[in-house]
Amino acid sequence: MENQLLEYVTEEMLIVVAVLWVIGLFLKRTPNFPDWIIVWTLLVLGVLVAVFVIGFTVDAFIQGVIVAGLAVFAHQLIKQTQKKDAA
């Protein structure tokens, strides 16, 4: 599934996945910043960056949602894999 998503993400938006992931890590370590707000923050940032890079289009909105989703998905893959190894 992620291969299909990566085919749709434009080249200039691939770096945004990594940037959002790093921002998510910083937010996770920020005291008094609820976890549930992190995903919404990454979603909003992803869409804003996409609109800035691509322009105000439906495609930019879709790109923003996908890159935010990929950043969260990548984080969860690592987190769940580490949890499995610890068990």
Side-chain angles (χ1 to χ4, degrees):
M1 180 176 115
E2 73 267 1
N3 287 339
Q4 292 172 335
L5 287 176
L6 286 175
E7 288 177 13
Y8 184 74
V9 176
T10 61
E11 233 178 272
E12 62 260 3
M13 292 301 294
L14 284 176
I15 190 66
V16 179
V17 175
V19 170
L20 290 175
W21 188 17
V22 170
I23 291 171
L25 290 175
F26 282 122
L27 292 176
K28 182 73 174 166
R29 290 180 169 91
T30 301
N32 302 322
F33 199 89
D35 287 348
W36 68 270
I37 294 179
I38 295 172
V39 293
W40 290 104
T41 303
L42 295 179
L43 177 63
V44 170
L45 288 174
V47 170
L48 288 175
V49 170
V51 166
F52 179 76
V53 171
I54 299 170
F56 193 74
T57 64
V58 172
D59 188 50
F61 178 79
I62 293 168
Q63 290 284 319
V65 170
I66 290 173
V67 296
L70 286 171
V72 172
F73 178 70
H75 176 262
Q76 284 299 310
L77 273 177
I78 292 169
K79 183 177 174 182
Q80 296 301 324
T81 301
Q82 288 173 344
K83 188 185 283 186
K84 179 186 151 248
D85 289 343

